[in-house]
Amino acid sequence: MRVRRLPIIDLYVEDDACVVFVGDQVVALSALATQALLAVGDEWTEDAAVASALADAFGPPPPGTDLAAATTETLMALSELRVIEHD
């Protein structure tokens, strides 16, 4: 899966989390979602690159957790919030 950032009106990052003003909504993101968003650019980005960025930021996932599946879940949640889009 590839993802890219949708037009963001404003982005405020503090500590590990951020608030995004996109479309007609303001969305507060967790540290994990913030790192995923920051790993996605305006151009298409492969989900494997986002997974790698998350592993770099947070370390390996707990035993029994599939990094690729967890990354996909995070990216789909960001897509539902209309912060990113996927193909």
Side-chain angles (χ1 to χ4, degrees):
M1 173 173 57
R2 298 182 314 156
V3 294
R4 68 178 171 190
R5 213 184 271 191
L6 291 172
I8 292 176
I9 298 167
D10 198 9
L11 171 70
Y12 175 75
V13 180
E14 185 173 312
D15 297 324
D16 294 333
C18 76
V19 177
V20 181
F21 182 20
V22 60
D24 62 351
Q25 66 181 351
V26 175
V27 180
L29 300 178
S30 68
L32 179 72
T34 296
Q35 287 300 317
L37 176 62
L38 295 176
V40 174
D42 295 330
E43 301 297 322
W44 290 108
T45 305
E46 295 292 332
D47 58 348
V50 178
S52 178
L54 292 175
D56 289 346
F58 297 105
T65 301
D66 181 348
L67 178 60
T71 300
T72 298
E73 184 178 330
T74 301
L75 294 173
M76 295 305 291
L78 289 172
S79 179
E80 289 174 16
L81 293 169
R82 299 186 322 258
V83 177
I84 65 170
E85 66 179 336
H86 62 89
D87 71 347

PDB file of all heavy atoms in Angstrom, residues 41-75:
ATOM      1  N   GLY A  41       4.957  11.747   3.268  1.00  0.00           N
ATOM      2  CA  GLY A  41       5.133  13.032   2.620  1.00  0.00           C
ATOM      3  C   GLY A  41       3.994  13.367   1.686  1.00  0.00           C
ATOM      4  O   GLY A  41       2.976  12.680   1.640  1.00  0.00           O
ATOM      5  N   ASP A  42       4.185  14.430   0.924  1.00  0.00           N
ATOM      6  CA  ASP A  42       3.192  14.844  -0.061  1.00  0.00           C
ATOM      7  C   ASP A  42       3.196  13.912  -1.271  1.00  0.00           C
ATOM      8  O   ASP A  42       2.209  13.820  -1.996  1.00  0.00           O
ATOM      9  CB  ASP A  42       3.458  16.281  -0.523  1.00  0.00           C
ATOM     10  CG  ASP A  42       3.285  17.290   0.605  1.00  0.00           C
ATOM     11  OD1 ASP A  42       2.473  17.033   1.512  1.00  0.00           O
ATOM     12  OD2 ASP A  42       3.962  18.328   0.577  1.00  0.00           O
ATOM     13  N   GLU A  43       4.315  13.238  -1.497  1.00  0.00           N
ATOM     14  CA  GLU A  43       4.424  12.260  -2.578  1.00  0.00           C
ATOM     15  C   GLU A  43       4.085  10.881  -2.009  1.00  0.00           C
ATOM     16  O   GLU A  43       4.130  10.663  -0.802  1.00  0.00           O
ATOM     17  CB  GLU A  43       5.844  12.265  -3.155  1.00  0.00           C
ATOM     18  CG  GLU A  43       6.274  13.607  -3.719  1.00  0.00           C
ATOM     19  CD  GLU A  43       5.424  14.057  -4.901  1.00  0.00           C
ATOM     20  OE1 GLU A  43       5.037  13.195  -5.723  1.00  0.00           O
ATOM     21  OE2 GLU A  43       5.124  15.258  -4.987  1.00  0.00           O
ATOM     22  N   TRP A  44       3.769   9.947  -2.881  1.00  0.00           N
ATOM     23  CA  TRP A  44       3.422   8.599  -2.434  1.00  0.00           C
ATOM     24  C   TRP A  44       4.571   7.968  -1.655  1.00  0.00           C
ATOM     25  O   TRP A  44       5.720   8.032  -2.071  1.00  0.00           O
ATOM     26  CB  TRP A  44       3.056   7.719  -3.623  1.00  0.00           C
ATOM     27  CG  TRP A  44       1.747   8.104  -4.246  1.00  0.00           C
ATOM     28  CD1 TRP A  44       1.571   8.728  -5.441  1.00  0.00           C
ATOM     29  CD2 TRP A  44       0.446   7.917  -3.696  1.00  0.00           C
ATOM     30  NE1 TRP A  44       0.234   8.934  -5.672  1.00  0.00           N
ATOM     31  CE2 TRP A  44      -0.486   8.442  -4.614  1.00  0.00           C
ATOM     32  CE3 TRP A  44      -0.033   7.355  -2.512  1.00  0.00           C
ATOM     33  CZ2 TRP A  44      -1.862   8.416  -4.398  1.00  0.00           C
ATOM     34  CZ3 TRP A  44      -1.408   7.326  -2.298  1.00  0.00           C
ATOM     35  CH2 TRP A  44      -2.302   7.850  -3.233  1.00  0.00           C
ATOM     36  N   THR A  45       4.243   7.376  -0.516  1.00  0.00           N
ATOM     37  CA  THR A  45       5.200   6.725   0.372  1.00  0.00           C
ATOM     38  C   THR A  45       4.740   5.291   0.600  1.00  0.00           C
ATOM     39  O   THR A  45       3.561   5.052   0.880  1.00  0.00           O
ATOM     40  CB  THR A  45       5.256   7.470   1.733  1.00  0.00           C
ATOM     41  OG1 THR A  45       5.550   8.846   1.512  1.00  0.00           O
ATOM     42  CG2 THR A  45       6.286   6.852   2.662  1.00  0.00           C
ATOM     43  N   GLU A  46       5.653   4.343   0.494  1.00  0.00           N
ATOM     44  CA  GLU A  46       5.311   2.939   0.741  1.00  0.00           C
ATOM     45  C   GLU A  46       5.068   2.707   2.241  1.00  0.00           C
ATOM     46  O   GLU A  46       5.771   3.281   3.082  1.00  0.00           O
ATOM     47  CB  GLU A  46       6.433   2.023   0.250  1.00  0.00           C
ATOM     48  CG  GLU A  46       6.641   2.045  -1.246  1.00  0.00           C
ATOM     49  CD  GLU A  46       5.478   1.442  -2.017  1.00  0.00           C
ATOM     50  OE1 GLU A  46       4.768   0.562  -1.480  1.00  0.00           O
ATOM     51  OE2 GLU A  46       5.285   1.859  -3.177  1.00  0.00           O
ATOM     52  N   ASP A  47       4.114   1.861   2.547  1.00  0.00           N
ATOM     53  CA  ASP A  47       3.814   1.569   3.948  1.00  0.00           C
ATOM     54  C   ASP A  47       4.993   0.937   4.674  1.00  0.00           C
ATOM     55  O   ASP A  47       5.174   1.132   5.877  1.00  0.00           O
ATOM     56  CB  ASP A  47       2.560   0.719   4.088  1.00  0.00           C
ATOM     57  CG  ASP A  47       2.634  -0.610   3.353  1.00  0.00           C
ATOM     58  OD1 ASP A  47       3.552  -0.809   2.537  1.00  0.00           O
ATOM     59  OD2 ASP A  47       1.758  -1.460   3.603  1.00  0.00           O
ATOM     60  N   ALA A  48       5.847   0.224   3.955  1.00  0.00           N
ATOM     61  CA  ALA A  48       7.035  -0.374   4.573  1.00  0.00           C
ATOM     62  C   ALA A  48       7.984   0.711   5.093  1.00  0.00           C
ATOM     63  O   ALA A  48       8.626   0.528   6.135  1.00  0.00           O
ATOM     64  CB  ALA A  48       7.760  -1.270   3.584  1.00  0.00           C
ATOM     65  N   ALA A  49       8.055   1.841   4.401  1.00  0.00           N
ATOM     66  CA  ALA A  49       8.888   2.954   4.866  1.00  0.00           C
ATOM     67  C   ALA A  49       8.312   3.554   6.148  1.00  0.00           C
ATOM     68  O   ALA A  49       9.061   3.939   7.062  1.00  0.00           O
ATOM     69  CB  ALA A  49       9.008   4.020   3.779  1.00  0.00           C
ATOM     70  N   VAL A  50       6.998   3.612   6.232  1.00  0.00           N
ATOM     71  CA  VAL A  50       6.357   4.118   7.450  1.00  0.00           C
ATOM     72  C   VAL A  50       6.598   3.135   8.598  1.00  0.00           C
ATOM     73  O   VAL A  50       6.932   3.546   9.721  1.00  0.00           O
ATOM     74  CB  VAL A  50       4.847   4.353   7.230  1.00  0.00           C
ATOM     75  CG1 VAL A  50       4.177   4.828   8.515  1.00  0.00           C
ATOM     76  CG2 VAL A  50       4.622   5.360   6.097  1.00  0.00           C
ATOM     77  N   ALA A  51       6.470   1.847   8.341  1.00  0.00           N
ATOM     78  CA  ALA A  51       6.727   0.830   9.370  1.00  0.00           C
ATOM     79  C   ALA A  51       8.155   0.938   9.889  1.00  0.00           C
ATOM     80  O   ALA A  51       8.399   0.855  11.098  1.00  0.00           O
ATOM     81  CB  ALA A  51       6.461  -0.567   8.816  1.00  0.00           C
ATOM     82  N   SER A  52       9.092   1.150   8.993  1.00  0.00           N
ATOM     83  CA  SER A  52      10.493   1.295   9.387  1.00  0.00           C
ATOM     84  C   SER A  52      10.686   2.533  10.264  1.00  0.00           C
ATOM     85  O   SER A  52      11.401   2.494  11.272  1.00  0.00           O
ATOM     86  CB  SER A  52      11.371   1.377   8.136  1.00  0.00           C
ATOM     87  OG  SER A  52      12.713   1.563   8.486  1.00  0.00           O
ATOM     88  N   ALA A  53      10.033   3.635   9.897  1.00  0.00           N
ATOM     89  CA  ALA A  53      10.130   4.867  10.689  1.00  0.00           C
ATOM     90  C   ALA A  53       9.533   4.666  12.076  1.00  0.00           C
ATOM     91  O   ALA A  53      10.079   5.166  13.080  1.00  0.00           O
ATOM     92  CB  ALA A  53       9.431   6.019   9.966  1.00  0.00           C
ATOM     93  N   LEU A  54       8.440   3.928  12.157  1.00  0.00           N
ATOM     94  CA  LEU A  54       7.825   3.666  13.466  1.00  0.00           C
ATOM     95  C   LEU A  54       8.727   2.778  14.321  1.00  0.00           C
ATOM     96  O   LEU A  54       8.882   3.017  15.524  1.00  0.00           O
ATOM     97  CB  LEU A  54       6.450   3.025  13.288  1.00  0.00           C
ATOM     98  CG  LEU A  54       5.376   3.925  12.685  1.00  0.00           C
ATOM     99  CD1 LEU A  54       4.091   3.138  12.446  1.00  0.00           C
ATOM    100  CD2 LEU A  54       5.113   5.135  13.558  1.00  0.00           C
ATOM    101  N   ALA A  55       9.335   1.770  13.721  1.00  0.00           N
ATOM    102  CA  ALA A  55      10.258   0.903  14.464  1.00  0.00           C
ATOM    103  C   ALA A  55      11.472   1.690  14.935  1.00  0.00           C
ATOM    104  O   ALA A  55      11.963   1.474  16.049  1.00  0.00           O
ATOM    105  CB  ALA A  55      10.671  -0.283  13.602  1.00  0.00           C
ATOM    106  N   ASP A  56      11.956   2.610  14.108  1.00  0.00           N
ATOM    107  CA  ASP A  56      13.086   3.453  14.511  1.00  0.00           C
ATOM    108  C   ASP A  56      12.714   4.346  15.691  1.00  0.00           C
ATOM    109  O   ASP A  56      13.512   4.551  16.597  1.00  0.00           O
ATOM    110  CB  ASP A  56      13.564   4.330  13.348  1.00  0.00           C
ATOM    111  CG  ASP A  56      14.276   3.550  12.264  1.00  0.00           C
ATOM    112  OD1 ASP A  56      14.655   2.378  12.509  1.00  0.00           O
ATOM    113  OD2 ASP A  56      14.455   4.105  11.161  1.00  0.00           O
ATOM    114  N   ALA A  57      11.498   4.879  15.668  1.00  0.00           N
ATOM    115  CA  ALA A  57      11.056   5.808  16.717  1.00  0.00           C
ATOM    116  C   ALA A  57      10.708   5.107  18.024  1.00  0.00           C
ATOM    117  O   ALA A  57      10.986   5.624  19.105  1.00  0.00           O
ATOM    118  CB  ALA A  57       9.853   6.613  16.228  1.00  0.00           C
ATOM    119  N   PHE A  58      10.091   3.926  17.926  1.00  0.00           N
ATOM    120  CA  PHE A  58       9.554   3.268  19.122  1.00  0.00           C
ATOM    121  C   PHE A  58      10.210   1.942  19.463  1.00  0.00           C
ATOM    122  O   PHE A  58       9.883   1.332  20.469  1.00  0.00           O
ATOM    123  CB  PHE A  58       8.043   3.044  18.958  1.00  0.00           C
ATOM    124  CG  PHE A  58       7.269   4.314  18.830  1.00  0.00           C
ATOM    125  CD1 PHE A  58       6.778   4.714  17.602  1.00  0.00           C
ATOM    126  CD2 PHE A  58       7.039   5.131  19.930  1.00  0.00           C
ATOM    127  CE1 PHE A  58       6.067   5.895  17.468  1.00  0.00           C
ATOM    128  CE2 PHE A  58       6.331   6.311  19.807  1.00  0.00           C
ATOM    129  CZ  PHE A  58       5.846   6.698  18.566  1.00  0.00           C
ATOM    130  N   GLY A  59      11.109   1.482  18.602  1.00  0.00           N
ATOM    131  CA  GLY A  59      11.722   0.180  18.826  1.00  0.00           C
ATOM    132  C   GLY A  59      10.853  -0.907  18.241  1.00  0.00           C
ATOM    133  O   GLY A  59       9.776  -0.643  17.703  1.00  0.00           O
ATOM    134  N   PRO A  60      11.306  -2.133  18.325  1.00  0.00           N
ATOM    135  CA  PRO A  60      10.528  -3.236  17.749  1.00  0.00           C
ATOM    136  C   PRO A  60       9.196  -3.395  18.486  1.00  0.00           C
ATOM    137  O   PRO A  60       9.091  -3.075  19.671  1.00  0.00           O
ATOM    138  CB  PRO A  60      11.428  -4.453  17.940  1.00  0.00           C
ATOM    139  CG  PRO A  60      12.370  -4.086  19.016  1.00  0.00           C
ATOM    140  CD  PRO A  60      12.523  -2.590  18.978  1.00  0.00           C
ATOM    141  N   PRO A  61       8.199  -3.895  17.784  1.00  0.00           N
ATOM    142  CA  PRO A  61       6.892  -4.090  18.433  1.00  0.00           C
ATOM    143  C   PRO A  61       6.970  -5.214  19.462  1.00  0.00           C
ATOM    144  O   PRO A  61       7.881  -6.032  19.426  1.00  0.00           O
ATOM    145  CB  PRO A  61       5.969  -4.451  17.277  1.00  0.00           C
ATOM    146  CG  PRO A  61       6.858  -5.007  16.239  1.00  0.00           C
ATOM    147  CD  PRO A  61       8.179  -4.306  16.391  1.00  0.00           C
ATOM    148  N   PRO A  62       6.001  -5.256  20.371  1.00  0.00           N
ATOM    149  CA  PRO A  62       5.976  -6.341  21.360  1.00  0.00           C
ATOM    150  C   PRO A  62       5.869  -7.703  20.671  1.00  0.00           C
ATOM    151  O   PRO A  62       5.351  -7.807  19.552  1.00  0.00           O
ATOM    152  CB  PRO A  62       4.705  -6.060  22.170  1.00  0.00           C
ATOM    153  CG  PRO A  62       4.353  -4.639  21.898  1.00  0.00           C
ATOM    154  CD  PRO A  62       4.896  -4.318  20.540  1.00  0.00           C
ATOM    155  N   PRO A  63       6.359  -8.746  21.335  1.00  0.00           N
ATOM    156  CA  PRO A  63       6.253 -10.091  20.761  1.00  0.00           C
ATOM    157  C   PRO A  63       4.802 -10.404  20.387  1.00  0.00           C
ATOM    158  O   PRO A  63       3.872 -10.057  21.109  1.00  0.00           O
ATOM    159  CB  PRO A  63       6.734 -11.010  21.884  1.00  0.00           C
ATOM    160  CG  PRO A  63       7.592 -10.129  22.735  1.00  0.00           C
ATOM    161  CD  PRO A  63       7.002  -8.757  22.646  1.00  0.00           C
ATOM    162  N   GLY A  64       4.642 -11.013  19.230  1.00  0.00           N
ATOM    163  CA  GLY A  64       3.314 -11.381  18.764  1.00  0.00           C
ATOM    164  C   GLY A  64       2.606 -10.286  17.986  1.00  0.00           C
ATOM    165  O   GLY A  64       1.519 -10.506  17.476  1.00  0.00           O
ATOM    166  N   THR A  65       3.219  -9.104  17.898  1.00  0.00           N
ATOM    167  CA  THR A  65       2.616  -8.001  17.149  1.00  0.00           C
ATOM    168  C   THR A  65       3.237  -7.949  15.766  1.00  0.00           C
ATOM    169  O   THR A  65       4.461  -7.936  15.629  1.00  0.00           O
ATOM    170  CB  THR A  65       2.853  -6.649  17.865  1.00  0.00           C
ATOM    171  OG1 THR A  65       2.286  -6.713  19.170  1.00  0.00           O
ATOM    172  CG2 THR A  65       2.224  -5.511  17.092  1.00  0.00           C
ATOM    173  N   ASP A  66       2.414  -7.919  14.760  1.00  0.00           N
ATOM    174  CA  ASP A  66       2.859  -7.839  13.372  1.00  0.00           C
ATOM    175  C   ASP A  66       3.029  -6.362  13.020  1.00  0.00           C
ATOM    176  O   ASP A  66       2.037  -5.617  12.947  1.00  0.00           O
ATOM    177  CB  ASP A  66       1.826  -8.500  12.476  1.00  0.00           C
ATOM    178  CG  ASP A  66       2.201  -8.484  11.009  1.00  0.00           C
ATOM    179  OD1 ASP A  66       3.146  -7.771  10.618  1.00  0.00           O
ATOM    180  OD2 ASP A  66       1.527  -9.180  10.231  1.00  0.00           O
ATOM    181  N   LEU A  67       4.271  -5.932  12.823  1.00  0.00           N
ATOM    182  CA  LEU A  67       4.560  -4.529  12.539  1.00  0.00           C
ATOM    183  C   LEU A  67       3.834  -4.037  11.294  1.00  0.00           C
ATOM    184  O   LEU A  67       3.257  -2.947  11.286  1.00  0.00           O
ATOM    185  CB  LEU A  67       6.066  -4.300  12.406  1.00  0.00           C
ATOM    186  CG  LEU A  67       6.512  -2.879  12.063  1.00  0.00           C
ATOM    187  CD1 LEU A  67       6.056  -1.879  13.121  1.00  0.00           C
ATOM    188  CD2 LEU A  67       8.030  -2.830  11.887  1.00  0.00           C
ATOM    189  N   ALA A  68       3.821  -4.845  10.253  1.00  0.00           N
ATOM    190  CA  ALA A  68       3.161  -4.443   9.002  1.00  0.00           C
ATOM    191  C   ALA A  68       1.660  -4.256   9.221  1.00  0.00           C
ATOM    192  O   ALA A  68       1.075  -3.268   8.767  1.00  0.00           O
ATOM    193  CB  ALA A  68       3.424  -5.470   7.903  1.00  0.00           C
ATOM    194  N   ALA A  69       1.032  -5.177   9.923  1.00  0.00           N
ATOM    195  CA  ALA A  69      -0.410  -5.079  10.183  1.00  0.00           C
ATOM    196  C   ALA A  69      -0.734  -3.889  11.076  1.00  0.00           C
ATOM    197  O   ALA A  69      -1.717  -3.174  10.848  1.00  0.00           O
ATOM    198  CB  ALA A  69      -0.923  -6.368  10.807  1.00  0.00           C
ATOM    199  N   ALA A  70       0.081  -3.655  12.101  1.00  0.00           N
ATOM    200  CA  ALA A  70      -0.138  -2.516  12.993  1.00  0.00           C
ATOM    201  C   ALA A  70       0.043  -1.197  12.243  1.00  0.00           C
ATOM    202  O   ALA A  70      -0.707  -0.237  12.466  1.00  0.00           O
ATOM    203  CB  ALA A  70       0.811  -2.593  14.187  1.00  0.00           C
ATOM    204  N   THR A  71       1.007  -1.150  11.344  1.00  0.00           N
ATOM    205  CA  THR A  71       1.223   0.053  10.537  1.00  0.00           C
ATOM    206  C   THR A  71       0.031   0.290   9.613  1.00  0.00           C
ATOM    207  O   THR A  71      -0.461   1.417   9.506  1.00  0.00           O
ATOM    208  CB  THR A  71       2.522  -0.073   9.718  1.00  0.00           C
ATOM    209  OG1 THR A  71       3.617  -0.240  10.618  1.00  0.00           O
ATOM    210  CG2 THR A  71       2.753   1.156   8.858  1.00  0.00           C
ATOM    211  N   THR A  72      -0.452  -0.755   8.980  1.00  0.00           N
ATOM    212  CA  THR A  72      -1.611  -0.628   8.101  1.00  0.00           C
ATOM    213  C   THR A  72      -2.824  -0.121   8.879  1.00  0.00           C
ATOM    214  O   THR A  72      -3.550   0.758   8.410  1.00  0.00           O
ATOM    215  CB  THR A  72      -1.941  -1.977   7.426  1.00  0.00           C
ATOM    216  OG1 THR A  72      -0.832  -2.356   6.612  1.00  0.00           O
ATOM    217  CG2 THR A  72      -3.200  -1.891   6.585  1.00  0.00           C
ATOM    218  N   GLU A  73      -3.026  -0.652  10.070  1.00  0.00           N
ATOM    219  CA  GLU A  73      -4.141  -0.211  10.916  1.00  0.00           C
ATOM    220  C   GLU A  73      -4.028   1.282  11.241  1.00  0.00           C
ATOM    221  O   GLU A  73      -5.007   2.025  11.174  1.00  0.00           O
ATOM    222  CB  GLU A  73      -4.173  -1.041  12.196  1.00  0.00           C
ATOM    223  CG  GLU A  73      -5.339  -0.727  13.102  1.00  0.00           C
ATOM    224  CD  GLU A  73      -5.353  -1.612  14.339  1.00  0.00           C
ATOM    225  OE1 GLU A  73      -4.877  -2.759  14.272  1.00  0.00           O
ATOM    226  OE2 GLU A  73      -5.856  -1.132  15.367  1.00  0.00           O
ATOM    227  N   THR A  74      -2.823   1.721  11.578  1.00  0.00           N
ATOM    228  CA  THR A  74      -2.591   3.136  11.886  1.00  0.00           C
ATOM    229  C   THR A  74      -2.837   4.007  10.660  1.00  0.00           C
ATOM    230  O   THR A  74      -3.498   5.048  10.741  1.00  0.00           O
ATOM    231  CB  THR A  74      -1.153   3.347  12.406  1.00  0.00           C
ATOM    232  OG1 THR A  74      -0.975   2.555  13.586  1.00  0.00           O
ATOM    233  CG2 THR A  74      -0.876   4.801  12.715  1.00  0.00           C
ATOM    234  N   LEU A  75      -2.336   3.575   9.515  1.00  0.00           N
ATOM    235  CA  LEU A  75      -2.510   4.352   8.289  1.00  0.00           C
ATOM    236  C   LEU A  75      -3.976   4.408   7.867  1.00  0.00           C
ATOM    237  O   LEU A  75      -4.453   5.449   7.393  1.00  0.00           O
ATOM    238  CB  LEU A  75      -1.643   3.779   7.171  1.00  0.00           C
ATOM    239  CG  LEU A  75      -0.135   3.906   7.388  1.00  0.00           C
ATOM    240  CD1 LEU A  75       0.625   3.157   6.297  1.00  0.00           C
ATOM    241  CD2 LEU A  75       0.293   5.367   7.451  1.00  0.00           C
TER     242      LEU A  75
END
